[in-house]
Amino acid sequence: MENNLLELKNLYVNAENKEILKGINLKINKGEIHVIMGPNGSGKTTTANAILNNPSYQKTSGEVIFLGENINNLKTDEIARKGVFMSFQLPEEIPGVSVTNFLKYAKNKISGEPVKIFKFKEELKKHMEQLNMNPKNMERSLNVGFSGGEKKKNEILQMLVLNPKLAILDETDSGLDVDAIKTVSKGIEMFKNDDNAVLIITHNTKILNSLKVDYVHVLVDGKIVATGSQELASEIEQNGYSKFRKDANINEN
């Protein structure tokens, strides 16, 4: 129990009165990288939003346990303050709020302590250089005018600065070229240690080519139908999801 970070117990979730998750069971320990893969519409993003208790997704049964506590009924910001971070498929643009000010505000809210601005800016600049980001972006409005790759790198920058216990990365590799994917993978490796964990949600294997993961879970029609090592992702890359659809008794047409 002491090493367990997150556990989903028989989780059922609806969205817009449609059942999306149909009994998810998942356990993530400290120091691990897990990947949830699956075809579009399988429930991957719903899983992430259910953990953060996004009000657009309704849990109808089951539990989300974080560090031994049932967080089913906590608000999203309360869950974030407990140490859960989520990057988004489509990062929001916030005109008039600089990257620096956004992260300073977020860090202050999560830590509850004042942020020492000069030390904070030095930390921010260091991480940006490590992620091959232009340090001048510190003063740009958050994600405004950023390329797709810059937005995804900025999400990884937020993860490094906020240093959560669990980082959920939803389709972080989507639309990125090979070099950008390598940079994102580098950021994940920089973040990961024995006291935190990463949950990567994706529908392809590109990001796994530059990253060593502990477990790969295949989600089809709201159910985890297979769990394995990184080799399972290689099997999916070669053969797609047809076998798993058949195992779940799903017609592809």
Side-chain angles (χ1 to χ4, degrees), residues 180-223:
I181 288 174
K182 287 182 178 179
T183 300
V184 167
S185 297
K186 177 184 176 183
I188 294 170
E189 291 286 6
M190 288 163 53
F191 166 75
K192 191 181 79 69
N193 60 47
D194 291 339
D195 292 318
N196 62 27
V198 180
L199 175 60
I200 299 170
I201 293 172
T202 185
H203 66 275
N204 59 49
T205 61
K206 291 188 295 183
I207 196 170
L208 306 186
N209 295 331
S210 304
L211 195 64
K212 185 179 183 304
V213 305
D214 297 290
Y215 297 98
V216 174
H217 311 277
V218 181
L219 185 64
V220 176
D221 191 34
K223 302 174 184 177

Side-chain angles (χ1 to χ4, degrees), residues 11-253:
L11 189 64
Y12 286 76
V13 177
N14 288 2
E16 296 180 350
N17 297 318
K18 179 182 179 182
E19 188 174 64
I20 307 297
L21 298 186
K22 305 171 183 179
I24 294 289
N25 289 287
L26 177 67
K27 184 181 289 186
I28 299 176
N29 292 319
K30 296 175 183 177
E32 295 179 343
I33 297 180
H34 288 241
V35 179
I36 293 179
M37 301 186 67
N40 290 334
S42 59
K44 301 186 301 298
T45 294
T46 297
T47 302
N49 280 284
I51 294 169
L52 268 294
N53 209 14
N54 182 325
S56 296
Y57 300 80
Q58 298 81 45
K59 299 182 185 73
T60 58
S61 182
E63 295 179 280
V64 178
I65 308 294
F66 184 66
L67 288 173
E69 178 186 356
N70 184 318
I71 60 171
N72 275 23
N73 298 317
L74 294 185
K75 295 179 181 177
T76 301
D77 63 321
E78 293 172 330
I79 296 171
R81 283 197 293 272
K82 286 184 177 294
V84 181
F85 168 88
M86 179 176 168
S87 72
F88 297 94
Q89 286 181 259
L90 300 172
E92 291 287 336
E93 297 183 3
I94 307 180
V97 178
S98 69
V99 170
T100 298
N101 285 339
F102 173 82
L103 284 173
K104 180 165 69 74
Y105 176 81
K107 192 171 182 69
N108 173 261
K109 282 292 184 182
I110 287 173
S111 69
E113 300 175 357
V115 175
K116 297 179 180 178
I117 188 61
F118 292 110
K119 181 180 178 181
F120 179 74
K121 282 190 173 183
E122 284 301 312
E123 178 190 1
L124 199 55
K125 184 178 179 182
K126 176 185 174 183
H127 287 321
M128 293 182 87
E129 289 172 349
Q130 291 170 323
L131 294 172
N132 298 318
M133 297 175 70
N134 187 341
K136 292 182 179 179
N137 285 357
M138 290 169 61
E139 305 310 324
R140 289 176 62 182
S141 291
L142 184 70
N143 291 325
V144 176
F146 284 25
S147 68
E150 286 176 325
K151 289 181 178 180
K152 296 302 178 72
K153 287 181 183 180
N154 200 42
E155 295 276 281
I156 298 299
L157 175 67
Q158 292 174 36
M159 177 185 72
L160 291 172
V161 170
L162 299 178
N163 193 28
K165 295 181 178 70
L166 173 66
I168 303 171
L169 308 179
D170 187 12
E171 302 284 4
T172 301
D173 55 341
S174 177
L176 299 186
D177 60 29
V178 173
D179 290 336
I181 288 174
K182 287 182 178 179
T183 300
V184 167
S185 297
K186 177 184 176 183
I188 294 170
E189 291 286 6
M190 288 163 53
F191 166 75
K192 191 181 79 69
N193 60 47
D194 291 339
D195 292 318
N196 62 27
V198 180
L199 175 60
I200 299 170
I201 293 172
T202 185
H203 66 275
N204 59 49
T205 61
K206 291 188 295 183
I207 196 170
L208 306 186
N209 295 331
S210 304
L211 195 64
K212 185 179 183 304
V213 305
D214 297 290
Y215 297 98
V216 174
H217 311 277
V218 181
L219 185 64
V220 176
D221 191 34
K223 302 174 184 177
I224 292 178
V225 297
T227 293
S229 64
Q230 195 145 348
E231 284 69 29
L232 181 56
S234 300
E235 179 185 337
I236 292 169
E237 185 175 28
Q238 292 178 358
N239 304 316
Y241 291 105
S242 296
K243 171 184 179 297
F244 303 103
R245 288 179 183 274
K246 289 176 183 176
D247 289 345
N249 296 315
I250 296 173
N251 191 328
E252 292 193 69
N253 296 319

